[in-house]
Amino acid sequence: IATGQTALNFKFSSSGRKTIDTTFYQEVQATAVTTVGTTHTAKYVTKAIAPNVLRSGQIIDCEADYGRALGRSEQAITVTTYYDCSTVEIKSLNPADNGATVAATDIGDGTLTQ
């Protein structure tokens, strides 16, 4: 959200790149800007396609460009995506048919123990 007399140019990027990192995110909807009076709201919709928790998340930047005379405004947030443990096949180093029972326990923080 930004304010100004005229429409602004919004740009979203991640981790210092010029665009969103397609290793972790898929664009669902391009940036759409709505204006009410002098308030301009940009909406950019992405879908997480890979977890980035092992990298401590990823910084997503939103930049509002007011033009040459007025400059730019930036806001950054860190977005962290996790593994879906319910869909991961857990493999064990236990050989089959050795009589041992190995069960995975969801710790609740994105990790499992066996």
Side-chain angles (χ1 to χ4, degrees), residues 1-3 8 10 12 34 38-43 62 64 66 73 75:
I1 296 176
T3 58
L8 311 170
F10 286 93
F12 291 88
T34 56
T38 58
T39 301
H40 311 283
T41 303
K43 181 180 179 180
C62 175
Y66 291 86
S73 176
Q75 179 70 42

Side-chain angles (χ1 to χ4, degrees), residues 5-114:
Q5 293 299 319
T6 59
L8 311 170
N9 291 320
F10 286 93
K11 181 177 92 173
F12 291 88
S13 60
S14 61
S15 299
R17 299 171 184 242
K18 293 184 179 186
T19 60
I20 293 291
D21 186 349
T22 57
T23 306
F24 297 100
Y25 303 99
Q26 175 185 353
E27 182 179 284
V28 174
Q29 179 184 337
T31 304
V33 178
T34 56
T35 301
V36 177
T38 58
T39 301
H40 311 283
T41 303
K43 181 180 179 180
Y44 181 63
V45 181
T46 61
K47 174 183 175 183
I49 57 175
N52 62 20
V53 65
L54 298 178
R55 301 174 74 186
S56 299
Q58 193 165 36
I59 296 171
I60 304 293
D61 295 301
C62 175
E63 177 185 292
D65 187 345
Y66 291 86
R68 254 185 221 187
L70 299 174
R72 299 183 298 222
S73 176
E74 293 184 33
Q75 179 70 42
I77 62 169
T78 300
V79 176
T80 305
T81 57
Y82 296 87
Y83 293 91
D84 181 356
C85 294
S86 66
T87 62
V88 175
E89 179 186 346
I90 306 300
K91 297 180 180 179
S92 175
L93 297 178
N94 244 2
D97 299 327
N98 71 353
T101 301
V102 178
T105 303
D106 188 345
I107 302 302
D109 64 354
T111 62
L112 296 175
T113 61
Q114 289 189 11

